[in-house]
């Protein structure tokens, strides 16, 4: 393994050709935190700010080859997963990443409504990947799919966090971006319910925000932060990035990952 002069993080996720979500958003988020970013691509998407036009999954063997290539040479202080596409990819990734500091973003459907995870793969997510996760970061719709009951308010978020924690992750962050009112997130460690208060920003710069938040958590963990602080800092980062925004297309635009650099 090489000797690094800065923390490194690995993202295992899909590629967004439009640059606003997936691997591209993760790498930009790592860079904005001063963390070296590496990637293992699970699927190629033809995608822009208006939606996803096509998806082409990568073979599980090649996903594993990418992960091993990075970890054997560069290593990673934290790893995040995003779009994993299929049951066989989830199984392969889970075998490779056991024992790592692992942020699992259970990406299932794009913001435009395009399915990014096979229905049959949800059980693999529950029973293979979540048991090895350091933290899982579902939004309300993803939480509902994982627990099979409605998650529409703070009471539902707490019930969902408890049910998801039973699958085995050390921490669960149920994101409240789709709540009515303030977009507060719930961080749960099996004993404590820690509410991270949010600010509703009606800017339209929300493409890839789930990717950016989980990547920011991974970046902060790579930098040595404890989990509560990592999540707080990630939420502050994302809030500021949404306020700044990037106007790049005719649909839902991404946040400005580099707002702190004056761009």
């Amino acid at each position: 393994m090489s000797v690094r002069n800065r923390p490194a993080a690995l993202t295992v996720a899909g590629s967004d050709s439009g640059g606003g979500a997936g691997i591209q958003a993760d790498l930009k988020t790592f860079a904005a935190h001063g963390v070296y970013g590496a990637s293992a691509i699970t699927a190629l998407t033809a995608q822009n700010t208006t939606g996803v036009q096509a998806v082409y999954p990568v073979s599980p063997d090649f996903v594993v080859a990418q992960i091993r290539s990075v970890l054997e040479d560069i290593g990673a202080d934290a790893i995040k997963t995003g779009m994993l596409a299929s049951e066989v990819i989830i199984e392969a990734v889970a075998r490779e990443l056991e024992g790592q500091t692992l942020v699992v973003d259970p990406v299932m459907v794009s913001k435009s409504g395009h399915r990014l995870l096979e229905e049959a793969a949800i059980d693999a997510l529950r029973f293979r990947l979540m048991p090895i996760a350091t933290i899982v970061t579902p939004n309300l719709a993803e939480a509902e799919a994982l627990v099979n009951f409605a998650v529409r308010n703070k009471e539902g978020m707490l019930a969902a966090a408890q049910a998801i924690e039973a699958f085995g992750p050390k921490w669960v962050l149920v994101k409240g971006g789709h709540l009515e009112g303030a977009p507060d997130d719930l961080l749960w460690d099996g004993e404590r319910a820690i509410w991270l208060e949010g600010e509703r920003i009606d800017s339209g710069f929300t493409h890839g925000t789930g990717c950016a938040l989980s990547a920011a958590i991974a970046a902060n963990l790579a930098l040595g932060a404890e989990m509560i602080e990592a999540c707080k800092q990630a939420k502050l980062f994302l809030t500021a990035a949404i306020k700044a925004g990037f106007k790049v297309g005719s649909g839902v635009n991404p946040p400005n990952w580099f707002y702190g650099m004056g761009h």
Side-chain angles (χ1 to χ4, degrees), residues 5-8 28-37 219 223 261:
N5 63 0
R6 65 176 59 239
K28 291 168 185 174
T29 300
F30 294 160
H33 285 79
V35 171
Y36 182 85
L223 289 164
M261 301 175 186

Side-chain angles (χ1 to χ4, degrees), residues 174-198:
V174 181
K175 298 177 292 190
H178 297 110
L179 282 174
E180 293 291 331
D184 297 342
D185 299 340
L186 171 62
L187 182 61
W188 173 257
D189 69 350
E191 296 180 359
R192 294 172 294 172
I194 303 160
W195 287 97
L196 307 180
E197 294 183 355

Side-chain angles (χ1 to χ4, degrees), residues 4-227:
R4 289 188 269 108
N5 63 0
R6 65 176 59 239
L10 168 65
T11 169
V12 182
S15 169
D16 172 4
S17 57
I23 289 284
Q24 288 81 354
D26 295 342
L27 293 177
K28 291 168 185 174
T29 300
F30 294 160
H33 285 79
V35 171
Y36 182 85
S39 65
I41 296 176
T42 59
L44 308 176
T45 72
Q47 185 176 172
N48 54 33
T49 64
T50 68
V52 179
Q53 291 79 46
V55 176
Y56 186 82
V58 173
S59 76
D61 287 346
F62 191 66
V63 175
V64 169
Q66 294 174 81
I67 293 171
R68 289 180 180 175
S69 181
V70 172
L71 295 184
E72 288 171 4
D73 176 41
I74 299 166
D77 298 294
I79 300 172
K80 71 147 285 187
T81 64
M83 175 189 177
L84 297 177
S86 69
E87 181 178 3
V88 288
I89 290 177
I90 292 172
E91 292 279 355
V93 168
R95 287 193 298 270
E96 290 300 308
L97 298 185
E98 190 164 1
Q100 300 282 348
T101 297
L102 181 61
V103 179
V104 173
D105 184 9
V107 175
M108 298 181 187
V109 179
S110 71
K111 197 172 294 292
S112 60
H114 195 287
R115 177 161 285 280
L116 301 176
L117 181 71
E118 296 172 358
E119 188 72 30
I122 295 178
D123 271 351
L125 199 58
R126 290 187 186 105
F127 302 119
R128 288 292 290 120
L129 198 59
M130 289 191 182
I132 67 169
T134 309
I135 184 170
V136 180
T137 64
N139 61 28
L140 298 191
E142 291 159 350
E144 287 187 352
L146 290 169
V147 302
N148 291 319
F149 58 76
V151 184
R152 309 288 168 79
N153 52 36
K154 289 187 173 182
E155 291 76 17
M157 290 171 70
L158 179 56
Q162 292 169 331
I164 293 169
E165 187 252 339
F167 295 127
K170 294 182 178 67
W171 296 81
V172 181
L173 181 72
V174 181
K175 298 177 292 190
H178 297 110
L179 282 174
E180 293 291 331
D184 297 342
D185 299 340
L186 171 62
L187 182 61
W188 173 257
D189 69 350
E191 296 180 359
R192 294 172 294 172
I194 303 160
W195 287 97
L196 307 180
E197 294 183 355
E199 175 186 355
R200 179 68 65 190
I201 305 162
D202 191 19
S203 70
F205 298 109
T206 57
H207 177 52
T209 48
C211 303
L213 182 69
S214 56
I217 293 171
N220 279 286
L221 292 173
L223 289 164
E226 298 296 329
M227 183 60 74

